[in-house]
């Protein structure tokens, strides 16, 4: 699903923060697209909408035997970040919302219990501190915000000294 690379990108962003050790690290949309391609084998495109929202587009083969693909675009909006918890929303057209809810359920099952909560309307809560993989990073930094720029996503964290 398209939602899986998005969840995995949060892990990649955290890895980026750990390796660089700086506040306000930027991860380009080009890099995110490469990561999404590596993880999902699909071309997923990220485009700036505003400082809280980016559009995530992909083509999906719904009927592979007919060779029919459809293009879908979802808006990923970061509503707020507090105490290493990300409150976000994924939205699209009605048909996309149906696929999205199924995809989010699948992603929830792939992650450790409690890391991701989903609810109707594409609302997502990511509890980063409930991920064993992220814990070493969160021991060093507290995520403060995620902002979208024209060609990148900026991860803002307070380093713990």
């Amino acid at each position: 699903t398209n939602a899986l690379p998005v969840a995995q990108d949060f892990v990649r962003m955290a890895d980026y923060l750990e390796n660089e050790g700086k506040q306000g690290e930027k991860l380009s949309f080009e890099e995110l697209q490469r990561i999404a391609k590596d993880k999902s084998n699909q071309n997923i495109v990220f485009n700036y909408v505003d400082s809280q929202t980016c559009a995530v587009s992909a083509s999906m083969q719904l009927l592979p035997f007919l060779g029919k693909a459809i293009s879908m675009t979802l808006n990923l909006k970061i509503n707020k970040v507090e105490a290493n918890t990300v409150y976000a929303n994924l939205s699209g057209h009605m048909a996309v919302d149906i696929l999205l809810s199924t995809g989010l359920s699948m992603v929830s099952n792939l992650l450790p219990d409690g890391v991701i909560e989903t609810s109707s309307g594409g609302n997502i809560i990511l509890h980063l501190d409930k991920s064993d993989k992220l814990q070493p990073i969160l021991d060093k930094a507290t995520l403060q915000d995620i902002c979208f720029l024209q060609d990148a996503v900026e991860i803002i964290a307070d380093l713990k000294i």
Side-chain angles (χ1 to χ4, degrees):
T1 68
N2 289 341
L4 180 59
V6 173
Q8 290 172 332
D9 288 338
F10 282 107
V11 172
R12 170 66 179 94
M13 288 178 214
D15 286 344
Y16 198 82
L17 250 183
E18 179 184 42
N19 292 332
E20 297 296 323
K22 299 177 186 174
Q23 181 179 11
E25 282 301 315
K26 295 175 188 165
L27 188 59
S28 72
F29 286 155
E30 183 178 310
E31 174 72 0
L32 282 175
Q33 289 166 189
R34 187 192 61 72
I35 293 166
K37 175 74 172 173
D38 290 349
K39 300 287 185 184
S40 70
N41 201 29
Q42 294 212 5
N43 290 319
I44 299 173
V45 178
F46 297 86
N47 289 299
Y48 174 84
V49 174
D50 61 41
S51 64
Q52 291 182 294
T53 311
C54 85
V56 182
S57 303
S59 288
M60 293 182 63
Q61 291 283 343
L62 287 185
L63 302 171
F65 57 91
L66 294 176
K68 298 288 182 184
I70 63 163
S71 293
M72 293 191 302
T73 299
L74 301 173
N75 285 326
L76 169 63
K77 180 176 184 175
I78 305 297
N79 294 321
K80 68 179 176 176
V81 176
E82 62 181 32
N84 292 322
T85 300
V86 178
Y87 298 85
N89 180 272
L90 283 167
S91 63
H93 300 295
M94 189 160 76
V96 172
D97 286 338
I98 293 167
L99 290 171
L100 177 61
S101 64
T102 303
L104 287 174
S105 295
M106 291 171 62
V107 169
S108 298
N109 294 331
L110 295 173
L111 297 172
D113 284 343
V115 173
I116 187 168
E117 288 181 52
T118 62
S119 63
S120 62
N123 292 312
I124 305 166
I125 302 172
L126 291 171
H127 300 281
L128 303 178
D129 55 349
K130 293 185 179 180
S131 167
D132 291 340
K133 179 172 174 54
L134 294 177
Q135 201 54 54
I137 298 158
L138 298 176
D139 289 343
K140 297 176 187 174
T142 302
L143 183 64
Q144 293 298 315
D145 204 359
I146 298 172
C147 301
F148 297 106
L149 307 173
Q150 289 292 327
D151 62 351
V153 60
E154 184 173 33
I155 305 151
I156 301 167
D158 285 339
L159 298 178
K160 298 176 183 175
I161 299 176

